[in-house]
Amino acid sequence: MSESVNPKLDAHGRWSAEAGQVSLEGLHSTVAVPHEQAGFWEQWRAFVGPAILVSVGYMDPGNWGTDLQGGAQYKYGLMWVIGVASLMAVFMQVIAARLGVVTGKDLAQCCRDWYPRWTRWPNWVMSEIAIGACDLAEVLGSAVALNLLFHIPLLWAVIITGIDVLLLLALQRFGMRTIEAVVLLLIATIAVCYFIEIFVLPQTQPSFAEMARALVSPHFREVGMLYVAIGIIGATVMPHNLYLHSALVQSRKFQKDDASVRRAVQFNTIDSTVALSIAFFVNAAILVLAATVFFGKESVAVGGGQIVHFTADADWIRVAYLTLAPLLGAAVASTLFAVALLASGQSSTITGTLAGQVVMEGFMRWRIQPWVRRLITRTMAILPAVLVIGLRGDSSVTDLLVLSQVVLAMQLPFAMFPLLQFTSSRKIMGAWRNGWFLMLAGWGSALLITAMDVFGLPESLRSAWQVIAGR
């Protein structure tokens, strides 16, 4: 138990903390919510937001890299993994939001207060590793975008991403909701283009019957599928998002009576389900179009008779704009894809910075300026990218992206099991502990992910060494 916090039971039988210990102090209780007699849509508008911020991480460059590689190499064979991973993500984010609403603490604070003191350092270090792995994906995605937009050599583009610390400070003047609205508009543009290609254009329409069979036919029959599947899970169920979501829900200023807590839990559940369902469709569309455009092919014909050649080991993230070429033409597709990829990377940069602030303050009670921790995190992400790209050249971006997501998947159990332990405890959650459905769904998801991690660990280590050593 922390020496500076005195958890105690409140009038409703739940644990609560002394005033003064809050998550994301500058955002805590800053969004007013209407009276409980207000209409559904008025209340929904007040509560909607935290899951949208979290869902941006489910559509970041790491997701794009794993989805593209999965579709290009295995066609629809990993579609079921995206479906299962997205469903598990909904369960875990709903549970994380419930923890923050009921206890008034984020997951990191709960671990600090209710686990032995010696666990703080290892828990914090593992959380920082996960955030660094996620930031590596943002570095690579932003670097590919700069390369496509301005033809900057990829190694220099990686180094240039370090100045996004200044960009972040400049953009924060406009407010987070404005930034996220712009980013979501760009991602929505990509989603609309993918929708048109999948359902309207005859040359890119997939076989829906084959997709349906793949969605309900789990298997790992081909070499390397398990490794990419673990990467997809790591890109979808992200450990730092569990910490972040439990903190962001506390930005809503609601009362602590049972009726208000019930309302907050209900609307955050709706928020999480809707936002992550949209993320599922975007990720599924990326995999489907990668399968349609790249699988089993050595070239793609684009406007003007131009032929773009690639191999089975192509760096898929760098030719991913070709999935939009049938609709927009190569030039426009390249620009739009690059802008959306850059926006995705920068948006995830913002949420990654917030997540880093949550885990540092929650586990260690350290408070530093956001730009300082952003600079530290970005430097830690740039160094491995510069090292590998410098040694192996530009062909290693997708490999690094998938590796970063595998690292995230390996970190997941260390966030999931504490979250489930706390939210399953009547002593901590009172009447709001997980019911039988969330209990089964949450623990089932955690055990499945952990089993895949353990089973796939040898292959993951071999693949990681190949990425690092360039073999």
Side-chain angles (χ1 to χ4, degrees):
M1 195 74 69
S2 170
E3 70 282 359
S4 58
V5 178
N6 180 27
K8 58 185 180 181
L9 290 173
D10 65 10
H12 304 280
R14 299 185 300 267
W15 283 93
S16 62
E18 295 285 355
Q21 183 196 7
V22 296
S23 302
L24 298 175
E25 188 172 9
L27 300 175
H28 193 274
S29 297
T30 56
V31 179
V33 298
H35 190 270
E36 62 183 57
Q37 300 301 322
F40 173 86
W41 292 109
E42 185 179 352
Q43 294 190 57
W44 179 80
R45 282 196 301 271
F47 282 101
V48 71
I52 292 178
L53 288 175
V54 168
S55 73
V56 170
Y58 290 79
M59 296 176 280
D60 73 347
N63 289 82
W64 293 29
T66 54
D67 296 339
L68 286 163
Q69 184 164 355
Q73 292 185 347
Y74 308 110
K75 202 173 183 180
Y76 309 135
L78 292 175
M79 175 72 76
W80 68 274
V81 176
I82 292 181
V84 170
S86 299
L87 188 61
M88 292 191 295
V90 172
F91 294 146
M92 301 310 296
Q93 296 299 160
V94 165
I95 293 171
R98 179 181 288 243
L99 178 72
V101 167
V102 174
T103 66
K105 296 172 178 280
D106 61 60
L107 179 56
Q109 290 172 339
C110 290
C111 290
R112 176 189 172 92
D113 291 343
W114 296 322
Y115 279 160
R117 180 192 296 269
W118 64 267
T119 64
R120 296 174 189 172
W121 274 92
N123 277 336
W124 173 63
V125 169
M126 286 186 289
S127 300
E128 292 290 0
I129 289 173
I131 292 170
C134 185
D135 205 50
L136 176 58
E138 324 312 351
V139 165
L140 295 169
S142 298
V144 169
L146 292 173
N147 175 259
L148 289 172
L149 285 171
F150 306 112
H151 306 291
I152 300 170
L154 198 63
L155 184 61
W156 284 106
V158 167
I159 296 172
I160 289 172
T161 61
I163 68 172
D164 81 343
V165 176
L166 303 177
L167 177 63
L168 178 61
L169 291 175
L171 290 176
Q172 281 180 330
R173 294 182 304 169
F174 299 99
M176 188 166 292
R177 283 192 177 273
T178 301
I179 297 169
E180 294 300 334
V182 172
V183 170
L184 288 175
L185 178 63
L186 290 166
I187 293 175
T189 303
I190 287 285
V192 169
C193 291
Y194 280 158
F195 178 87
I196 293 173
E197 288 200 32
I198 291 174
F199 293 101
V200 179
L201 290 189
Q203 65 266 41
T204 52
Q205 277 192 7
S207 169
F208 292 103
E210 189 177 354
M211 286 168 51
R213 286 194 299 271
L215 196 58
V216 296
S217 304
H219 68 88
F220 295 116
R221 297 191 188 103
E222 298 179 50
V223 176
M225 287 186 79
L226 180 58
Y227 177 72
V228 178
I230 293 174
I232 289 174
I233 290 174
T236 307
V237 192
M238 308 177 89
H240 69 280
N241 270 344
L242 301 180
Y243 293 100
L244 179 61
H245 203 175
S246 60
L248 287 175
V249 294
Q250 297 175 51
S251 62
R252 271 51 185 174
K253 189 174 183 179
F254 56 88
Q255 301 299 315
K256 293 301 182 180
D257 59 278
D258 281 349
S260 298
V261 171
R262 180 181 298 106
R263 185 170 48 136
V265 168
Q266 289 173 343
F267 280 97
N268 277 292
T269 299
I270 296 171
D271 189 26
S272 301
T273 303
V274 172
L276 297 185
S277 297
I278 294 171
F280 160 72
F281 286 112
V282 171
N283 286 318
I286 294 172
L287 183 141
V288 166
L289 280 170
T292 304
V293 174
F294 297 132
F295 180 75
K297 299 178 182 177
E298 297 180 352
S299 63
V300 171
V302 294
Q306 179 186 359
I307 304 294
V308 179
H309 295 274
F310 48 84
T311 67
D313 297 323
D315 205 4
W316 300 113
I317 191 73
R318 302 188 67 201
V319 293
Y321 70 91
L322 293 173
T323 59
L324 292 171
L327 176 65
L328 303 172
V332 176
S334 176
T335 300
L336 179 60
F337 179 84
V339 170
L341 188 60
L342 185 63
S344 172
Q346 293 307 307
S347 177
S348 298
T349 285
I350 295 170
T351 55
T353 301
L354 290 174
Q357 184 179 340
V358 168
V359 299
M360 181 176 285
E361 293 179 1
F363 282 120
M364 309 306 295
R365 298 282 175 82
W366 294 342
R367 294 182 184 272
I368 62 176
Q369 291 294 322
W371 72 268
V372 175
R373 87 146 282 123
R374 184 82 208 110
L375 183 62
I376 295 171
T377 305
R378 180 46 55 101
T379 302
M380 291 171 59
I382 286 176
L383 289 178
V386 168
L387 180 63
V388 174
I389 292 175
L391 292 174
R392 292 188 54 194
D394 293 357
S395 62
S396 54
V397 174
T398 301
D399 289 340
L400 271 174
L401 276 173
V402 176
L403 174 61
S404 71
Q405 305 312 298
V406 171
V407 171
L408 283 175
M410 294 297 176
Q411 296 294 323
L412 260 174
F414 300 101
M416 291 187 300
F417 286 112
L419 173 65
L420 291 166
Q421 180 186 354
F422 297 142
T423 53
S424 300
S425 169
R426 186 176 297 277
K427 182 178 181 182
I428 292 173
M429 299 288 287
W432 299 104
R433 72 169 184 165
N434 293 333
W436 68 266
F437 178 76
L438 277 182
M439 195 90 75
L440 288 175
W443 285 104
S445 300
L447 292 172
L448 177 60
I449 291 172
T450 304
M452 288 185 66
D453 282 350
V454 173
F455 184 71
L457 183 60
E459 184 177 346
S460 298
L461 292 175
R462 283 195 301 271
S463 300
W465 175 247
Q466 289 172 358
V467 171
I468 296 169
R471 296 179 180 178

